Amino acid sequence: MTHDEARTIITNRKRELGDKLIILGHHYQNDDILEYADYVGDSLELARKASRIERAESIVFCGVYFMAETAAILAPGRAVYIPDPAAGCPLADMAPPAEVLAAWDAITQVTRSVVPITYVNSTAELKAFCGRNEGAVCTSGNARKILAWALEKAGKIFFMPDRNLGRNTARSLGIPDGEIVEWDPGAAGMDRDAIAKARVILWKGWCPVHFPEFSAEDVSAIRTRFPGIKVIVHPETDPATVAASDLSGSTAMILEYLASLGEGQKVAVGTEAHMVYRAARANRFRIDVVPLKEVYCEDMAKITLEKLAQTLSRLESGQGRVEVAPDIAEHAMKALDAMLRI
Ligand code: 13P
Ligand code: SF4
């Protein structure tokens, strides 16, 4: 199928299905795809949108699998599709539920006063685990609020799976590094004293697009090259990179920051390059946006025009439909609902 054929199929199917169909797209998708999205956002905005769908019977999610799975949980009764179910997230895969349960057992043998929080970049099983244990989900857009809530509730957090988002957020809440420990699933466990003393226990996972790709050295190199440049990074970069930058925030927060800058400002953005180049084009007459480094998420890039066209032309076949087992969906919904309420 050529690009032009794919475009014709997508346009015709969208016209045919009208408001029975909604296409959601994440900021990391390429321009070709986002041209057809009815709504574009960060993970939090997309989750909120999915929970408030009114007319659409079918949701086609242009993003990675955990995002489509989250939409399927938040929009019961709608059919959710992803144009390529193999578009996964290596960070989400770093916390297999069986390993998390073993860690949880060890932690709760020391104390019951602990709240499990999972970053939305995780499997539905992990979200269900948090729901069953009175925890919550968070995104990079609301992590600070959710962690503050959990600390207030129990004084101790078990945060999965992104060690960088966890530490960056904990630091922003004033928690010293001495009260943050990392649970390494590859190690033999953790001593009881370390569990008892910690306020934040981080799962040792990371996003390979943001870490170790971006570094504090990249930030100082770009500052030397362009004196006066501002630097904003995604909080999946490590704490040293965040500390070297002017600001960190979710993809939506990065776009808001760019909109707030005065004319003529030069700014480097440390996140996925499709989004950075799109922001550079959108702001080109006002500010100068450059990537801190050119890094792409291969999984996000698995969604192509051709796959979107195929999905739309075969919705009735169920191909690419994302389904979550009822028991998992019920408990994952509790954790997502807690996030949306806090
Ligand atoms: P946002 O929550 O900022 O949209 O980021 C999602 C993501 O996968 C970042 O790598
Ligand atoms: Fe996952 Fe990283 Fe890609 Fe985001 S950028 S979807 S966290 S691999």
Side-chain angles (χ1 to χ4, degrees):
M1 188 190 299
T2 64
H3 259 40
D4 284 346
E5 283 164 350
R7 286 183 184 285
T8 307
I9 294 172
I10 298 167
T11 308
N12 290 344
R13 279 300 267 169
K14 277 186 67 122
R15 197 175 301 132
E16 234 170 271
L17 292 163
D19 58 12
K20 289 200 181 110
L21 166 75
I22 185 165
I23 301 182
L24 304 181
H26 187 266
H27 290 305
Y28 290 165
Q29 292 290 296
N30 67 47
D31 286 7
D32 280 349
I33 296 288
L34 292 190
E35 188 185 327
Y36 296 103
D38 299 296
Y39 186 83
V40 180
D42 72 353
S43 317
L44 180 59
E45 292 166 334
L46 292 166
R48 281 209 189 106
K49 184 73 184 172
S51 72
R52 293 176 189 156
I53 300 281
E54 283 171 11
R55 288 201 182 80
E57 291 162 10
S58 303
I59 302 171
V60 174
F61 206 113
C62 296
V64 290
Y65 196 82
F66 75 79
M67 294 179 176
E69 201 174 46
T70 302
I73 298 164
L74 288 169
R78 327 270 166 183
V80 178
Y81 301 85
I82 184 164
D84 185 348
C89 168
L91 168 60
D93 294 340
M94 282 183 200
E99 291 179 17
V100 169
L101 281 180
W104 182 247
D105 261 6
I107 294 167
T108 50
Q109 273 171 31
V110 176
T111 175
R112 298 289 318 175
S113 191
V114 51
V115 179
I117 304 289
T118 184
Y119 187 24
V120 70
N121 299 39
S122 56
T123 59
E125 285 94 327
L126 205 51
K127 293 180 180 77
F129 158 77
C130 290
R132 282 194 194 96
N133 291 284
E134 290 172 35
V137 174
C138 78
T139 75
S140 54
N142 61 14
R144 213 165 172 271
K145 204 161 63 164
I146 306 289
L147 264 68
W149 164 83
L151 279 174
E152 168 93 25
K153 191 162 128 103
K156 197 188 293 286
I157 298 170
F158 180 35
F159 185 85
M160 300 150 287
D162 188 1
R163 67 199 286 232
N164 291 318
L165 177 66
R167 190 176 296 267
N168 286 325
T169 310
R171 279 190 180 181
S172 82
L173 288 167
I175 299 176
D177 278 349
E179 295 179 5
I180 305 171
V181 293
E182 285 191 10
W183 183 282
D184 181 349
M190 187 180 283
D191 76 61
R192 296 175 66 91
D193 201 39
I195 295 173
K197 285 193 183 131
R199 286 169 76 197
V200 180
I201 303 169
L202 301 173
W203 190 262
K204 198 176 175 185
W206 61 90
C207 159
V209 176
H210 289 90
F211 175 78
E213 287 296 333
F214 295 101
S215 66
E217 289 71 41
D218 295 331
V219 178
S220 57
I222 208 150
R223 288 198 194 281
T224 308
R225 194 160 154 224
F226 303 113
I229 195 169
K230 299 277 187 201
V231 182
I232 182 163
V233 295
H234 197 279
E236 288 173 10
T237 58
D238 74 335
T241 308
V242 169
S245 303
D246 294 290
L247 215 64
S248 72
S250 76
T251 54
M253 288 166 168
I254 291 173
L255 295 176
E256 266 169 42
Y257 175 71
L258 298 181
S260 77
L261 289 174
E263 216 167 298
Q265 180 67 54
K266 192 170 184 85
V267 55
V269 179
T271 196
E272 209 270 351
H274 281 115
M275 177 179 127
V276 181
Y277 285 126
R278 183 176 318 108
R281 283 193 296 278
N283 288 287
R284 68 188 180 284
F285 298 120
R286 212 175 49 78
I287 54 172
D288 187 12
V289 180
V290 294
L292 179 56
K293 208 175 207 178
E294 188 170 333
V295 190
Y296 292 92
C297 174
E298 284 173 21
D299 282 282
M300 286 280 181
K302 285 180 182 159
I303 309 300
T304 61
L305 274 183
E306 292 70 27
K307 290 176 194 169
L308 177 58
Q310 267 162 13
T311 303
L312 289 177
S313 56
R314 296 188 207 141
L315 281 186
E316 295 74 16
S317 76
Q319 197 182 316
R321 183 151 177 195
V322 177
E323 286 178 287
V324 182
D327 177 53
I328 305 258
E330 182 196 331
H331 291 96
M333 182 67 172
K334 280 191 204 156
L336 282 162
D337 202 43
M339 168 181 92
L340 296 172
R341 271 186 293 107
I342 294 163

